[in-house]
């Protein structure tokens, strides 16, 4: 009969294990509801040993958020090949995969969780938003964005974030519809800005030139056209009005 021997982990390996365990627990419940005792039990170690690697729950929480932030930022990375609409739709699919897998953890990351106001947490949130912003600019092949383009892209990143947070509250709208709607939202924001700015108009024309009719942006055009009422029949010629001038 052989006796199983537990392998002793090195310091970094143990820390990474604890971060993974904490992130998994935070993904299913609010970090406020997860105790150090639960994290220790899930990792198969004692509570004092958790404190040996992390000074307290706050430091472990921030380490878990760091990993979550890095993973979330990576979801926006997409090879710059093919029409932009299809690329953005794939990005939204990966983004919502993360949201779906890490519900409470995603909400904690974007809202700050128990570390509201902490400079460390706020910096991580800003890093995720900046990474998403830079990835979109890379897809547009723009190095120095104009003020209007920056407004469009940052507004869209913020919209994706708030949409995901609202979706988590009951998931009342089908996820696939929201992913497509967010791609449409990007096109709509760009189109409105293009109506005011020649530079944005040039960017929009370049985007649409590569879009197939059956792609996400083509789908938006078809949906909008369907909303426009068909023109009615031309009115009949008005009857002649008798000349009522006085003699």
């Amino acid at each position: 009969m052989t006796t199983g021997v537990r392998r002793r982990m090195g310091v970094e390996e143990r820390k990474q294990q604890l971060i993974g365990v904490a992130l998994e627990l935070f993904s299913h419940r609010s970090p406020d509801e997860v105790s150090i005792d639960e994290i220790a039990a899930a990792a198969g170690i004692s509570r004092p040993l958790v404190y040996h690697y992390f000074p307290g729950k706050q430091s472990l929480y921030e380490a878990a958020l760091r990993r979550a932030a890095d993973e979330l930022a990576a979801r926006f990375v997409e090879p710059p090949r093919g029409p932009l609409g299809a690329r953005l739709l794939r990005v939204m699919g990966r983004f919502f995969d993360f949201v779906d897998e890490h519900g409470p953890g995603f909400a904690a990351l974007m809202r700050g969780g128990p570390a509201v106001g902490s400079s460390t947490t706020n910096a991580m949130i800003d890093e995720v938003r900046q990474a998403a912003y830079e990835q979109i600019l890379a897809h547009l092949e723009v190095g120095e964005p104009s003020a209007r383009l920056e407004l469009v892209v940052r507004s869209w990143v913020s919209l994706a974030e708030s949409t995901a947070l609202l979706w988590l509250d009951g998931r009342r709208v089908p996820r696939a519809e929201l992913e497509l709607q967010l791609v449409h939202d990007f096109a709509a924001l760009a189109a409105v800005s293009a109506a005011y700015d020649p530079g944005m108009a040039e960017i929009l024309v370049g985007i649409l030139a590569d879009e197939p009719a059956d792609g996400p942006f083509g789908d938006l055009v078809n949906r909008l056209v369907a909303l426009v009422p068909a023109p009615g029949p031309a009115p009949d010629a008005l009857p002649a009005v008798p000349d009522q001038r006085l003699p």
Side-chain angles (χ1 to χ4, degrees):
M1 176 175 138
T2 57
T3 303
V5 179
R6 179 183 296 179
R7 183 175 65 85
R8 184 182 180 87
M9 292 186 181
V11 173
E12 187 58 30
E13 187 179 7
R14 177 66 77 184
K15 289 178 72 173
Q16 292 304 316
Q17 181 215 17
L18 286 170
I19 291 170
V21 167
L23 184 57
E24 177 66 20
L25 291 172
F26 295 155
S27 294
H28 295 92
R29 288 156 55 209
S30 167
D32 286 325
E33 300 172 359
V34 178
S35 68
I36 286 291
D37 288 327
E38 289 179 86
I39 295 171
I45 62 176
S46 66
R47 175 189 175 96
L49 195 53
V50 175
Y51 285 110
H52 174 73
Y53 295 103
F54 293 95
K57 178 179 171 179
Q58 180 65 32
S59 62
L60 179 53
Y61 168 74
E62 290 182 356
L65 284 190
R66 173 76 274 166
R67 182 182 291 184
D70 290 344
E71 183 182 342
L72 180 55
R75 301 293 175 108
F76 284 88
V77 177
E78 171 73 19
R81 296 189 297 271
L84 179 63
R87 283 184 256 163
L88 291 181
L89 191 58
R90 288 192 292 270
V91 167
M92 286 296 95
R94 291 195 300 273
F95 174 67
F96 271 88
D97 280 344
F98 182 93
V99 174
D100 210 1
E101 294 162 8
H102 301 284
F106 172 80
L109 172 63
M110 305 317 290
R111 291 176 175 147
V116 171
S118 104
S119 58
T120 301
T121 303
N122 291 338
M124 283 190 280
I125 296 169
D126 287 341
E127 284 177 23
V128 172
R129 292 168 178 154
Q130 182 65 20
Y133 168 74
E134 291 175 359
Q135 282 297 317
I136 301 305
L137 289 183
H139 285 296
L140 295 173
E141 298 181 349
V142 175
E144 294 294 333
S146 66
R148 287 187 185 274
L149 179 58
E150 180 174 1
L151 180 61
V152 166
V153 178
R154 291 197 186 279
S155 295
W156 184 72
V157 170
S158 178
L159 179 61
E161 174 189 324
S162 58
T163 297
L165 288 170
L166 287 169
W167 178 73
L168 283 173
D169 186 17
R171 307 182 186 221
R172 292 168 291 174
V173 178
R175 172 184 152 175
E177 288 184 17
L178 280 185
E179 292 172 9
L180 181 59
Q181 181 179 317
L182 281 165
V183 176
H184 289 172
D185 287 333
F186 181 85
L189 286 168
V192 171
S193 186
Y196 291 86
D197 181 72
M200 278 301 304
E202 184 178 346
I203 290 174
L204 183 63
V205 168
I207 291 171
L208 296 179
D210 295 328
E211 289 294 320
D214 60 351
F217 291 166
D219 177 69
L220 173 61
V221 172
N222 292 333
R223 289 172 184 265
L224 292 176
V225 169
L227 295 177
V228 178
D236 294 334
L238 295 176
V241 178
D243 190 350
Q244 298 180 352
R245 289 176 294 180
L246 295 175

